[in-house]
């Protein structure tokens, strides 16, 4: 009952009610490697969040930098792919990138301000199984793996209040960081040992400190099912590994 009441607070919107959609900058090869910061296809594909510093450059005009700008809250989705499974992988900007532009094989979803959405929350939504399933369903209707504005308009997002979005985003972001730290610490351990070490640290993780835990074959898990609920909502996926 607690999980159901939690979900009742969430409202469903079409993506077009929250975001404006735009394609990116397309230029010839001679314009790349010098100039201004540039968000490449690879950067979007490989990262949940835009890196603090962008590695790629492009020679862009003032008009192009205004039209294809990169601002806090922007969601970038890969709009073409050789396979349906690799379509619409997301990356979110957590800050403004002055003078930066983004690549033409990417869609930019910019919050229109009508409905507030937290940047970190949206990053986990767009990497979640919920969104990935929508992409798969839509892409099965076309002959090649490409993402159009019409497809995005038919997709939806379910969100809670802005305050709850920020809380969920903070918890997932912090826990994600802890997972990455534990992965580095446990590089030389077997898989199950690494998971147990991570879950043991999870008990002392600030957002869940003081909660009731149960021991399992994977280590300690929350007794009240809150974390399991987060996992079911935000079963976010990494980009395919090379």
């Amino acid at each position: 009952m607690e999980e159901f009441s939690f979900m009742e607070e969430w409202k469903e919107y079409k993506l077009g009610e929250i975001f404006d959609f735009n394609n990116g900058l397309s230029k010839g090869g001679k314009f790349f490697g010098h100039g201004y910061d540039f968000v490449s296809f690879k950067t979007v594909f490989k990262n949940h969040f835009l890196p603090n510093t962008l590695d790629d450059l492009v020679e862009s005009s003032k008009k192009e930098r205004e039209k294809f700008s990169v601002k806090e809250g922007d969601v970038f989705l890969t709009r073409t792919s050789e396979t349906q499974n690799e379509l619409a992988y997301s990356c979110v900007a957590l800050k403004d990138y002055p003078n930066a532009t983004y690549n033409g094989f990417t869609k930019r979803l910019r919050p229109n301000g009508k409905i507030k959405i937290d940047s970190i929350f949206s990053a986990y939504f767009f990497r979640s199984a919920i969104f990935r399933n929508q992409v798969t369903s839509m892409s099965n209707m076309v002959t090649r793996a490409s993402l159009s504005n019409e497809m995005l308009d038919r997709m939806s997002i379910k969100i809670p209040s802005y305050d709850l979005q920020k809380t969920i985003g903070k918890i997932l972001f912090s826990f994600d960081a802890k997972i990455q730290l534990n992965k580095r610490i446990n590089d030389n351990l077997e898989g199950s040992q690494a998971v147990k070490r991570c879950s043991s640290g999870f008990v002392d993780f600030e957002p869940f400190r003081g909660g009731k835990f149960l021991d399992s074959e994977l280590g300690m898990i929350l007794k009240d099912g809150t974390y399991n609920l987060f996992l079911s909502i935000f079963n976010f996926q990494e980009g395919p590994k090379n």
Side-chain angles (χ1 to χ4, degrees):
M1 290 301 295
E2 288 182 1
E3 293 185 10
F4 184 74
S5 63
F6 179 83
M7 289 302 296
E8 279 186 329
E9 299 175 15
W10 298 48
K11 295 182 180 180
E12 187 170 358
Y13 300 93
K14 295 297 184 182
L15 290 183
E17 294 182 85
I18 300 179
F19 300 97
D20 294 327
F21 314 138
N22 291 95
N23 291 333
L25 176 65
S26 296
K27 305 195 80 165
K30 67 180 181 180
F31 293 99
F32 292 91
H34 53 90
Y36 298 90
D37 286 344
F38 183 70
V39 179
S40 67
F41 182 94
K42 181 179 179 180
T43 296
V44 173
F45 191 72
K46 294 290 186 181
N47 296 279
H48 283 100
F49 306 97
L50 280 184
N52 189 52
T53 302
L54 300 175
D55 294 331
D56 299 283
L57 300 172
V58 67
E59 188 61 47
S60 56
S61 67
K62 181 179 179 180
K63 184 177 180 180
E64 288 170 334
R65 293 193 295 275
E66 291 174 351
K67 182 177 181 180
F68 305 109
S69 61
V70 180
K71 297 185 179 296
E72 180 181 357
D74 286 349
V75 179
F76 299 96
L77 300 177
T78 56
R79 69 174 182 86
T80 61
S81 173
E82 294 181 359
T83 66
Q84 293 175 339
N85 291 336
E86 297 181 357
L87 182 66
Y89 268 89
S90 63
C91 185
V92 174
L94 297 184
K95 66 173 187 176
D96 291 351
Y97 290 78
N99 295 317
T101 56
Y102 63 99
N103 74 91
F105 296 102
T106 295
K107 289 280 187 183
R108 182 188 69 195
L109 281 62
R110 173 164 289 173
N112 57 29
K114 297 177 181 177
I115 298 168
K116 293 182 71 175
I117 184 163
D118 178 66
S119 301
I120 298 177
F121 177 92
S122 69
Y124 286 105
F125 170 79
F126 283 105
R127 286 274 175 156
S128 72
I130 295 174
F131 180 69
R132 298 301 311 156
N133 289 340
Q134 291 187 71
V135 172
T136 300
S137 177
M138 292 291 180
S139 60
N140 282 337
M141 300 170 61
V142 296
T143 56
R144 58 177 297 182
S146 62
L147 188 67
S148 67
N149 287 356
E150 290 74 23
M151 290 171 63
L152 288 171
D153 268 327
R154 293 198 297 270
M155 296 181 189
S156 61
I157 180 173
K158 188 174 288 188
I159 60 175
S161 67
Y162 184 67
D163 286 343
L164 185 52
Q165 289 177 46
K166 292 184 73 67
T167 298
I168 293 173
K170 178 182 177 181
I171 290 173
L172 293 175
F173 187 82
S174 298
F175 186 59
D176 202 17
K178 187 168 183 63
I179 288 174
Q180 297 306 314
L181 175 61
N182 276 275
K183 282 181 179 179
R184 292 194 294 271
I185 293 174
N186 293 297
D187 277 343
N188 296 321
L189 295 179
E190 294 296 326
S192 61
Q193 290 176 300
V195 170
K196 286 189 176 182
R197 177 74 67 82
C198 182
S199 62
S200 177
F202 175 57
V203 175
D204 295 322
F205 177 44
E206 189 274 331
F208 301 111
R209 191 173 296 143
K212 296 181 179 179
F213 290 81
L214 296 174
D215 197 6
S216 75
E217 61 180 5
L218 294 179
M220 304 301 288
I221 60 174
L222 277 175
K223 184 177 182 180
D224 66 5
T226 303
Y227 178 60
N228 294 333
L229 176 60
F230 281 163
L231 283 183
S232 68
I233 299 170
F234 291 101
N235 180 21
F236 61 90
Q237 303 175 7
E238 301 288 346
K241 305 298 183 184
N242 292 329

